Coordinates of all heavy atoms in Angstrom, one line a residue:
V1 N -40.4 70.6 107.7 CA -40.0 69.3 107.5 C -38.6 69.5 106.7 O -38.5 69.6 105.5 CB -40.8 68.4 106.6 CG1 -40.3 67.0 106.6 CG2 -42.2 68.4 107.3
G2 N -37.5 69.6 107.6 CA -36.2 70.1 107.1 C -35.4 69.1 106.4 O -35.6 67.8 106.8
D3 N -34.5 69.3 105.4 CA -33.6 68.3 104.9 C -32.5 68.0 106.0 O -31.7 67.0 105.8 CB -33.1 68.7 103.6 CG -32.2 69.9 103.8 OD1 -32.1 70.6 104.7 OD2 -31.6 70.3 102.7
S4 N -32.6 68.6 107.1 CA -31.7 68.3 108.2 C -32.1 66.8 108.7 O -31.3 66.2 109.4 CB -31.9 69.2 109.4 OG -33.3 69.5 109.7
L5 N -33.2 66.3 108.1 CA -33.5 64.9 108.5 C -32.3 63.9 108.1 O -32.3 62.8 108.6 CB -34.9 64.5 108.0 CG -35.1 64.3 106.5 CD1 -34.8 63.1 105.9 CD2 -36.6 64.7 106.1
G6 N -31.7 64.3 107.1 CA -30.6 63.5 106.6 C -29.6 63.2 107.7 O -29.0 62.1 107.7
M7 N -29.4 64.1 108.5 CA -28.3 64.0 109.6 C -29.1 63.4 110.8 O -28.5 62.5 111.5 CB -27.7 65.3 109.9 CG -27.1 66.0 108.7 SD -26.4 67.6 109.0 CE -24.9 67.3 109.8
V8 N -30.2 64.0 111.4 CA -30.7 63.6 112.5 C -31.6 62.4 112.4 O -31.8 61.7 113.5 CB -31.5 64.8 113.2 CG1 -30.7 66.0 113.5 CG2 -32.7 65.1 112.4
M9 N -32.1 62.0 111.3 CA -32.9 60.7 111.3 C -32.3 59.7 110.4 O -32.5 58.5 110.7 CB -34.3 61.3 110.5 CG -35.1 62.2 111.2 SD -35.8 61.5 112.9 CE -37.0 60.4 112.2
L10 N -31.5 60.0 109.4 CA -31.0 59.0 108.4 C -29.5 58.7 108.6 O -29.0 58.0 108.1 CB -31.3 59.5 107.0 CG -32.7 59.8 106.6 CD1 -32.8 60.2 105.2 CD2 -33.6 58.5 106.9
G11 N -28.8 59.7 109.5 CA -27.4 59.4 109.8 C -26.4 59.8 108.7 O -25.3 59.4 108.8
Y12 N -26.9 60.6 107.7 CA -26.0 61.1 106.8 C -25.0 62.2 107.4 O -25.3 62.7 108.5 CB -26.6 61.8 105.6 CG -27.6 60.9 104.8 CD1 -28.7 61.4 104.2 CD2 -27.3 59.6 104.5 CE1 -29.5 60.7 103.5 CE2 -28.2 58.8 103.8 CZ -29.2 59.3 103.3 OH -30.1 58.5 102.5
D13 N -23.8 62.4 106.8 CA -22.9 63.4 107.3 C -23.3 64.9 107.0 O -22.7 65.8 107.6 CB -21.4 63.1 106.7 CG -20.8 61.9 107.2 OD1 -21.1 61.5 108.3 OD2 -20.0 61.3 106.5
S14 N -24.2 65.0 106.0 CA -24.7 66.4 105.7 C -26.1 66.2 105.1 O -26.7 65.1 105.0 CB -23.8 67.0 104.7 OG -24.0 66.3 103.4
T15 N -26.7 67.3 104.7 CA -28.0 67.2 104.0 C -27.9 66.9 102.6 O -29.0 66.7 102.0 CB -28.7 68.7 104.2 OG1 -27.9 69.7 103.5 CG2 -28.8 69.0 105.6
V16 N -26.7 66.9 101.9 CA -26.6 66.8 100.6 C -27.2 65.5 99.9 O -27.9 65.5 98.9 CB -25.1 67.0 100.0 CG1 -24.9 66.6 98.7 CG2 -24.6 68.4 100.3
P17 N -27.0 64.3 100.6 CA -27.5 63.1 100.0 C -29.0 63.0 100.0 O -29.5 62.1 99.5 CB -26.9 62.0 100.9 CG -25.7 62.6 101.7 CD -26.2 64.0 101.9
V18 N -29.7 63.7 100.7 CA -31.2 63.6 101.0 C -31.9 63.6 99.6 O -31.6 64.5 98.7 CB -31.8 64.7 101.9 CG1 -33.3 64.5 102.0 CG2 -31.1 64.5 103.2
T19 N -32.8 62.8 99.3 CA -33.5 62.7 98.0 C -34.9 63.3 98.1 O -35.5 63.4 99.3 CB -33.6 61.2 97.6 OG1 -34.5 60.5 98.4 CG2 -32.2 60.6 97.5
M20 N -35.5 63.5 97.0 CA -36.9 63.9 97.0 C -37.8 62.9 97.5 O -38.8 63.2 98.4 CB -37.3 64.2 95.5 CG -37.1 65.5 95.0 SD -37.9 66.8 95.9 CE -39.7 66.4 95.6
D21 N -37.6 61.6 97.3 CA -38.5 60.6 97.9 C -38.4 60.5 99.4 O -39.4 60.3 100.0 CB -38.1 59.2 97.2 CG -38.6 59.0 95.8 OD1 -39.4 59.9 95.3 OD2 -38.1 58.2 95.1
E22 N -37.2 60.7 99.9 CA -37.0 60.7 101.4 C -37.9 61.9 101.9 O -38.5 61.7 103.0 CB -35.6 60.7 101.7 CG -34.8 59.4 101.5 CD -33.4 59.5 101.6 OE1 -32.8 60.6 101.4 OE2 -32.7 58.5 101.7
M23 N -37.7 63.0 101.3 CA -38.4 64.2 101.8 C -39.9 64.1 101.8 O -40.6 64.3 102.7 CB -38.1 65.5 101.0 CG -36.6 66.0 101.2 SD -36.2 66.3 103.0 CE -37.7 67.5 103.4
I24 N -40.4 63.5 100.7 CA -41.8 63.3 100.6 C -42.3 62.3 101.6 O -43.4 62.5 102.2 CB -42.2 62.7 99.0 CG1 -41.8 63.8 98.0 CG2 -43.7 62.4 99.0 CD1 -42.5 65.2 98.1
H25 N -41.6 61.3 101.8 CA -41.9 60.2 102.8 C -42.1 60.8 104.2 O -43.1 60.6 104.9 CB -40.8 59.1 102.8 CG -41.0 58.2 104.0 ND1 -41.7 57.0 103.8 CD2 -40.4 58.1 105.2 CE1 -41.7 56.3 105.0 NE2 -40.9 56.9 105.8
H26 N -41.1 61.7 104.6 CA -41.2 62.3 105.9 C -42.3 63.4 106.1 O -43.0 63.5 107.0 CB -39.9 62.8 106.3 CG -38.8 61.7 106.6 ND1 -38.7 61.2 108.0 CD2 -38.0 61.0 105.9 CE1 -37.7 60.4 108.0 NE2 -37.4 60.1 106.7
C27 N -42.4 64.1 104.9 CA -43.5 65.1 104.9 C -44.9 64.5 105.1 O -45.8 65.1 105.8 CB -43.4 65.9 103.6 SG -42.0 67.1 103.5

C-alpha cells in the first residue's frame, strides 16, 4: 500500500502531502 496513492488516488503532485490517516484508511 504505497504512498504513491497520493498521486494516483488523491491527485497530489507528489507523495509528500500524504498523511498517516490517509495511509491507514487505504491500508
Side-chain angles (χ1 to χ4, degrees):
V1 187
D3 62 357
S4 46
L5 67 85
M7 303 172 78
V8 300
M9 298 293 288
L10 304 179
Y12 298 147
D13 290 332
S14 72
T15 62
V16 171
V18 177
T19 67
M20 273 295 301
D21 286 343
E22 287 168 340
M23 289 303 307
I24 297 299
H25 172 83
H26 286 270
C27 286

